[in-house]
Amino acid sequence: MHLTLRQLEVFEAVARLASFTRAAEELHLSQPAVSMQIRQLEEAAALPLFEKLGKKIHLTEAGREFFHYSQEVGRLLCELDEVVEALKGVQTGRLRISVATTANHFATRLLAAFSQRYPGTSFSLDVTNRKSLLDQLASNDADLVIMGKPPEGLDLEATAFMDNPLVIIAPPGHPLASVDKIPLKRLQDETFVVREKQSGTRIAMERFFEERGVQFKTGMEMTSNSAIKHAVEAGLGLGVVSIHTLELELEAGRLTLLDVQGFPIERHWYLVACRGKRLPPVARAFFDFLMGEEASHLLSAGKAS
Ligand code: PGA
């Protein structure tokens, strides 16, 4: 049987996602290109791999065998990649790191300092939300992830390295701006500009209010912290953001922090990897760098106060 790795990769995506369209999107291919690869693979096997029942596609018995082996091949290729990276050592390795949207406010500074320390290394950085970070760890698309506390029960190793207080921001002229110790219940009448549902900040905020039996009104929903800050400044509502997203807005008087009882919400930043994964030396070096003194100076120098 003559088949190519590319055909197996395309097949694996179609089988996993049970959709030609979604596999085409994930692999950045056209749908006819995906169909052609599958047709060629079926010709090589001389057996059908999918069958269509109604609108859904299902694996045939041969398809299920192919799916098992295509996943094994994918896993072995990743392992080969890791072994090759290990042979290259730290000096020329490539770090695959993904960080939460909010963590990007300090991650690029850390990566710049790390690159100076190890000039031959390179990195790919993906900035995305919590759900997609967990997916990337599961599919081995990232070696390391910086995020809020990952959920219990997943096979992950998470090490806390910095606190991440969430604060309430308001425009300086807001009636509550001059009030001390505002009771949480008082915020029931206020509208909040919020992050998207998959955001760690949003999840923590919702949990905080829910645990205290206080409702809050959500107004506009935005996927970026900068957009939230601009919206709050423009008077569209209050916002809950990490203190790390605030740069010069407080000093410049464009935003103010509200003194609300129970705030800030105490969170932490974690460096997360899959438990038992053999980290490439460059990722191990980044781990040690982040837990070391240079990084902790950098991080405390960058903190808004
Ligand atoms: P996020 O931040 O809101 O940008 O997803 C991550 C977190 O605080 O967990």
Side-chain angles (χ1 to χ4, degrees), residues 100-102 130 148 164 195 199-201 267 269:
T101 313
T102 302
R130 182 176 171 88
N164 175 26
R195 285 280 306 279
S199 133
T201 309
R267 306 194 72 217
W269 288 116

Side-chain angles (χ1 to χ4, degrees), residues 4-58:
T4 65
L5 283 179
R6 184 63 171 157
Q7 286 165 356
L8 275 188
E9 184 192 12
V10 171
F11 169 81
E12 192 277 334
V14 176
R16 176 168 39 84
L17 300 166
S19 156
F20 281 69
T21 318
R22 282 168 49 208
E25 274 167 20
E26 182 176 293
L27 298 167
H28 305 292
L29 290 174
S30 69
Q31 195 170 328
V34 168
S35 305
M36 193 180 72
Q37 300 274 3
I38 299 296
R39 204 166 43 245
Q40 286 172 350
L41 194 57
E42 289 182 322
E43 277 165 16
L47 281 172
L49 301 178
F50 292 105
E51 57 192 349
K52 212 166 172 194
L53 300 176
K55 284 194 172 159
K56 285 199 170 160
I57 55 165
H58 295 267

